[in-house]
Amino acid sequence: MAFFAHSEYEPLRLKSVTDLVREVERLSVENAQLQRAVTSHAQVDQAIGALVVLAEISPADAWDVLRDVSQRTNTKLHTIAGLVLEFAQGCPLPGTVREALRDALARRRPSPAAVH
């Protein structure tokens, strides 16, 4: 059985079974990466929502807080988001994350003197 590859940039050409296997492997890896990205993005969005409600800050500030905590603790953003979601459900935060989150939130809240 013959298999052909066609693209806008290259003419119709015969592909070997080995080429097809490599292409399937490449697409499988790409698919797994995309699935992880979608899951991670959803988790970050949920953590932003949790911070909006719990800390009474804007979504933009919540994003900044997550990013800030991630950078200051040298922890991946999706990991911080997962910890925030667990915290929202009653689990404790690790000490370094708790301190970085407290500090990041303090930097985004107006000072008492600024409130009329």
Side-chain angles (χ1 to χ4, degrees):
M1 176 178 291
F3 297 97
F4 294 92
H6 176 68
S7 77
E8 183 178 343
Y9 306 105
E10 89 182 41
L12 194 62
R13 66 180 176 87
L14 184 63
K15 285 195 126 183
S16 70
V17 172
T18 303
D19 290 339
L20 292 173
V21 168
R22 284 188 193 123
E23 183 70 5
V24 166
E25 289 171 353
R26 184 190 68 76
L27 290 171
S28 293
V29 168
E30 184 178 328
N31 186 7
Q33 290 171 340
L34 289 170
Q35 287 177 349
R36 282 192 301 274
V38 166
T39 299
S40 176
H41 186 73
Q43 192 173 40
V44 170
D45 284 346
Q46 291 170 8
I48 288 171
L51 286 175
V52 165
V53 171
L54 295 173
E56 298 178 344
I57 58 176
S58 72
D61 282 344
W63 164 251
D64 289 342
V65 165
L66 288 176
R67 192 180 64 220
D68 188 11
V69 172
S70 171
Q71 291 172 347
R72 289 177 186 272
T73 62
N74 195 28
T75 306
K76 293 199 178 280
L77 184 70
H78 70 88
T79 302
I80 296 298
L83 291 170
V84 167
L85 291 174
E86 289 174 5
F87 175 73
Q89 296 173 353
C91 296
L93 286 170
T96 56
V97 173
R98 183 180 59 249
E99 292 167 13
L101 181 60
R102 183 192 62 231
D103 294 345
L105 287 169
R107 285 189 289 277
R108 286 184 181 62
R109 289 196 179 120
S111 65
V115 178
H116 300 287

